[in-house]
Amino acid sequence: MNKNTQLVSLSYISNTVVDISFLGNLRLLAHSFLNNQKYNITGLLIYKNKQFAQVIEGDEAAIERIWSKIQRDTRHKDIQLLSKEPIVNRSFTKWSMLFPESEKVVEYFPDMVEAVNDLEMPVNHPLFKILAN
C-alpha cells in the first residue's frame, strides 16, 4: 500500500489563547468543514471552556498537513498530541464540530448544518474517555 494512502487517526487537546466567540466558532466551522470535505477528513472538533479536543481521520499526508497547521495556529497553546496511529476503518463518517450554541448554526449558517447535526461520538474512542473524566 502506498504510504500516502494509509488511513491515520490523530487526537489532540489544547487550550486557546483567548475565548472564541460564537462568530469566531462559525468562521472556524465554515473553514474547517469545507477544508475537511475537500481532503476527505472525518472526525470531531469540540470547543468548550477555552479548550479544543479533536479527532481527525484520513489519508496520512492530509492528516500531517492539518496537524502541521494546527501546531502553527496562534489560537492554540499547550497542544498535547494524544494519539496518532494507523487505522483500518474510520470511527466517523463525516467531520463535525460541537461548541457552545452550535445549535444556532441552523439559523445563521444553514449550509453548515450538516457539520453540527447528528454528531458522532464513539464512546470507546480514547479522546472521549479522557473528556469523560
Side-chain angles (χ1 to χ4, degrees):
M1 178 182 280
N2 182 333
K3 183 179 179 188
N4 290 338
T5 60
Q6 172 67 55
L7 276 180
V8 171
S9 175
L10 183 146
S11 303
Y12 73 91
I13 56 174
S14 69
N15 294 312
T16 59
V17 175
V18 297
D19 200 15
I20 300 177
S21 68
F22 178 72
L23 183 58
N25 276 313
L26 276 179
R27 283 193 292 257
L28 178 59
L29 171 69
H31 175 77
S32 299
F33 180 72
L34 296 173
N35 205 37
N36 289 334
Q37 275 192 328
K38 178 179 176 182
Y39 293 106
N40 195 26
I41 300 299
T42 56
L44 177 62
L45 172 61
I46 299 170
Y47 173 72
K48 184 177 179 182
N49 299 328
K50 293 179 68 174
Q51 293 185 310
F52 285 115
Q54 182 165 218
V55 179
I56 50 176
E57 304 171 325
D59 178 283
E60 186 173 25
I63 295 297
E64 286 297 330
R65 184 171 42 253
I66 291 168
W67 178 234
S68 179
K69 266 177 93 170
I70 289 167
Q71 291 176 304
R72 293 188 314 269
D73 189 328
T74 57
R75 293 172 289 198
H76 295 272
K77 66 179 182 179
D78 308 323
I79 301 172
Q80 296 176 44
L81 177 64
L82 301 175
S83 69
K84 179 183 169 215
E85 56 194 13
I87 56 173
V88 176
N89 299 307
R90 295 175 187 254
S91 296
F92 301 86
T93 59
K94 64 179 183 171
W95 182 87
S96 303
M97 183 174 175
L98 177 63
F99 56 94
E101 301 185 294
S102 55
E103 69 280 357
K104 291 184 179 178
V105 169
V106 176
E107 181 181 342
Y108 295 105
F109 222 147
D111 290 346
M112 294 292 131
V113 74
E114 178 185 342
V116 295
N117 278 352
D118 302 321
L119 297 176
E120 301 167 317
M121 291 191 176
V123 289
N124 61 344
H125 195 282
L127 179 64
F128 304 117
K129 288 179 182 177
I130 289 169
L131 292 176
N133 293 331

